Amino acid sequence: MNLKSKNYLILLSLLLLLVILYLGMQEIYKGQTVSLEDFLLAVKNNQIKTIIFKSDSEIIAETKDGKILKTTKDPAESLTQIFKDYGISSSTIFNLEIKKETTGLKEISLAFLFNILPFLLVAWIFWQFFKQAQRGTTQIFTFGKSGIKVYNPNDPDRVTFKDVANLEEAKQELMEVVEFLKNPEKFFKIGARIPKGVLLVGPPGSGKTLLARATAAEAGVPFFYISGSEFVEMFVGVGASRVRDAFAVAKKNQPCLLFIDELDAIGKIRGVGLTGGHEEREQTLNQILVEMDGFEKGTRIVVLAATNRPDVLDPALLRPGRFDRKIVLELPDIKAREEILKIHLRDKKISKINLRQVAERTPGFSGADLANLCNEAAILAARRNKEFITQKELLDSIEKVLLGPERKTKAYSQKEKEIAAYHEAGHAIVAHYLKYSNPVQKISIISRGRAGGYTLKLPTEEKSFYFKKEFLDELASMLGGYAAEKLVFGDITTGASNDLEIATDLAKQLVIRFGMSEKLGPVSLTRRSPTFIGPEFFEKEYSEKTAETIDEEVRNIINQALDRSLKVLEIKRDKLEKLSQVLIKKEVIEQKQFEKLIAEPKGSLEI
Ligand code: ADP
Ligand code: MG
Ligand code: ZN
């Protein structure tokens, strides 16, 4: 049930209550009005059981057979006097039960009900209409309002962690947030520092918004939602004022989750010409920082934010006490894709399907693409007058989604996937067998931006200086992808261009900065430029002739590295094949799996 129908239900029950009360009151005061004479006669004849003074002049009486009589008297005269004058015996009076009617709660509340409540009711109804009208038509003018949306945690349509496939690490991190929101006192008591802000980073459709909503539902707290794209406004300062308003709303509803979606979109204004988008962006981001810094101790709000572009984020956002936790969501691997498909086919009619096969054919698809795929398959099945979605509809829909207008992420074909697998396996194998290159931590062939995949190699320790042989081994593994493509396909793809760039840069540094070239010897051919700060800017300190020698030396180093790389792969061709096949199947391999698969120690080739 949504908010609006609930309002109407409340209204209806209030009206009903009013009617019942009204009828009840009619019952109570239904009594017959009689003259004072008749009343006194009834008293004299011992017919009256109870007398109630309603006021100085009004009298209500109940007869012994249960009838109610009403009458009036002169307020200046007391009832006792009247009785005496009428000649009613004191024994009769003594037998009467006489009450002064209390202007008690009942009276007051009845008066309230009949006089004030109808007004309130009418006012309330008007208020509702007014609000609705305002929402409908005057949106543009409500600058100060954040346009914040709220999701009820008890909404039956809510999503929970069960509806989010895979992303186990992210869920685990968010469980901490959930626990805090559920029972903040527990954390405050022992003085634990609570996460103020959590940043979700991942490509479009990877489930950031979904996870945020699920977190709120798991915690059972309200979920306030604003989107950075809604901050795109014409005037500077609007974004900031919306942020202020959003935080004010959240503060009033603690504990709660405040979700700022599409953080990177904040303040992106183009072509307005009045003021730069830059300023607006700064102001809006600043306001977020100000608000988060202003959380008092004991604030029970967790701010979640999502972005597709961590690279454009202001580093100030990531400082402790702000978004001090970062959760990275990646595109789903083959296993995750299967799970996501399962979730989205849960309440659809299916028959004879092989989800593994669908997952195999959808490398690079995001969660959103897969959800879309399931929907397209259902539409296709209906159009084909089928009762169930079958494998055919699912496979036929892949292309539709690939070509669809809403795709943001790039997927690649089976052939491209194969190339990516050999390429990454090449990096990994070379890195593993050479002694001084960094160990492989993770290999992935899920497309990531421009690169087809990546091999993550991390130094085991933070070093302040390097040996030449370390550089050379590193260079060889950098060229491992290129070497593998050459070896396996007899050709090179454009996928290696980034590797070559980095390798060439490194080789050049060896020659001109570190004096590691045989031919040029121990000379530094570069100076840190005095006009720039930072290691990236160096000045050229050599002649044209030397420049030629440098180029030659760089080429030599690179060629040697490539030769070593090719040699390793030739010798370990079987491992290269094996690893590539596993990669094609699994798409992601972690360090442990990798080492088990290779089953030979690191650095066991001397080349
Ligand atoms: P983002 O905010 O990262 O761009 P969304 O959270 O909006 O992506 O995801 C879009 C849709 O894709 C979701 O509504 C859901 O249907 C589907 N989806 C994405 N990731 C998953 C997942 N891990 N499990 C199930 N469905 C997912
Ligand atoms: Mg989103
Ligand atoms: Zn590469």
Side-chain angles (χ1 to χ4, degrees), residues 114-126:
F114 284 93
N115 297 316
I116 300 170
L117 203 67
F119 276 105
L120 284 183
L121 220 70
V122 169
W124 184 73
I125 292 168
F126 268 102

Side-chain angles (χ1 to χ4, degrees), residues 193-261:
R193 207 166 69 86
I194 304 309
K196 237 188 223 179
V198 180
L199 190 63
L200 296 167
V201 178
S206 56
K208 299 180 294 294
T209 309
L210 185 73
L211 257 182
R213 288 183 61 184
T215 307
E218 292 284 342
V221 297
F223 175 72
F224 293 99
Y225 173 101
I226 39 171
S227 174
S229 57
E230 286 161 24
F231 287 134
V232 180
E233 283 282 350
M234 295 236 284
F235 304 103
V236 171
V238 174
S241 98
R242 285 194 170 178
V243 167
R244 212 174 305 128
D245 183 68
F247 275 87
V249 172
K251 273 182 193 156
K252 269 190 223 136
N253 289 282
Q254 301 180 45
C256 68
L257 208 69
L258 175 60
F259 180 48
I260 308 174
D261 207 355

Side-chain angles (χ1 to χ4, degrees), residues 126-329:
F126 268 102
W127 171 241
Q128 288 296 319
F129 276 118
F130 174 71
K131 260 197 345 201
Q132 217 141 20
Q134 197 188 33
R135 225 176 286 144
T137 58
T138 58
Q139 185 77 83
I140 308 155
F141 299 107
T142 53
F143 275 148
K145 296 283 164 233
S146 59
I148 194 168
K149 294 187 205 62
V150 61
Y151 290 109
N152 180 349
N154 301 315
D155 191 322
D157 295 336
R158 71 191 192 270
V159 289
T160 64
F161 283 167
K162 266 209 254 50
D163 303 298
V164 184
N166 202 244
L167 304 175
E168 294 309 325
E169 274 169 54
K171 280 191 230 171
Q172 220 168 348
E173 288 240 18
L174 288 170
M175 267 323 280
E176 277 181 44
V177 172
V178 168
E179 264 183 46
F180 164 65
L181 287 172
K182 265 190 176 161
N183 194 357
E185 274 65 35
K186 187 173 109 188
F187 288 81
F188 288 138
K189 238 195 274 170
I190 55 166
R193 207 166 69 86
I194 304 309
K196 237 188 223 179
V198 180
L199 190 63
L200 296 167
V201 178
S206 56
K208 299 180 294 294
T209 309
L210 185 73
L211 257 182
R213 288 183 61 184
T215 307
E218 292 284 342
V221 297
F223 175 72
F224 293 99
Y225 173 101
I226 39 171
S227 174
S229 57
E230 286 161 24
F231 287 134
V232 180
E233 283 282 350
M234 295 236 284
F235 304 103
V236 171
V238 174
S241 98
R242 285 194 170 178
V243 167
R244 212 174 305 128
D245 183 68
F247 275 87
V249 172
K251 273 182 193 156
K252 269 190 223 136
N253 289 282
Q254 301 180 45
C256 68
L257 208 69
L258 175 60
F259 180 48
I260 308 174
D261 207 355
E262 297 172 47
L263 196 61
D264 43 280
I266 281 179
K268 262 190 207 154
I269 313 174
R270 268 184 227 115
V272 175
L274 279 174
T275 42
H278 190 63
E279 197 181 328
E280 168 71 354
R281 183 191 150 83
E282 294 265 289
Q283 276 198 21
T284 309
L285 284 180
N286 256 337
Q287 192 61 39
I288 293 176
L289 297 182
V290 166
E291 294 288 347
M292 288 181 79
D293 289 345
F295 277 8
E296 294 134 28
K297 225 175 160 191
T299 300
R300 291 164 300 160
I301 303 174
V302 175
V303 184
L304 271 182
T307 177
N308 302 328
R309 311 243 351 242
D311 49 318
V312 300
L313 274 188
D314 194 322
L317 279 171
L318 301 173
R319 244 173 260 147
R322 291 163 179 176
F323 292 98
D324 38 13
R325 296 224 185 152
K326 205 162 100 182
I327 299 179
V328 179
L329 307 183

Side-chain angles (χ1 to χ4, degrees), residues 341-355 373-394:
L341 286 167
K342 218 179 274 168
I343 282 182
H344 289 282
L345 290 171
R346 227 172 12 193
D347 41 11
K348 293 189 170 68
K349 285 187 179 170
I350 49 174
S351 166
K352 289 190 214 119
I353 55 172
N354 174 359
L355 287 184
L373 171 70
C374 293
N375 192 45
E376 287 293 341
I379 292 171
L380 203 57
R383 216 186 288 142
R384 289 174 180 170
N385 296 318
K386 289 194 180 175
E387 271 187 60
F388 300 96
I389 301 170
T390 68
Q391 187 72 356
K392 191 157 183 347
E393 279 73 46
L394 282 170

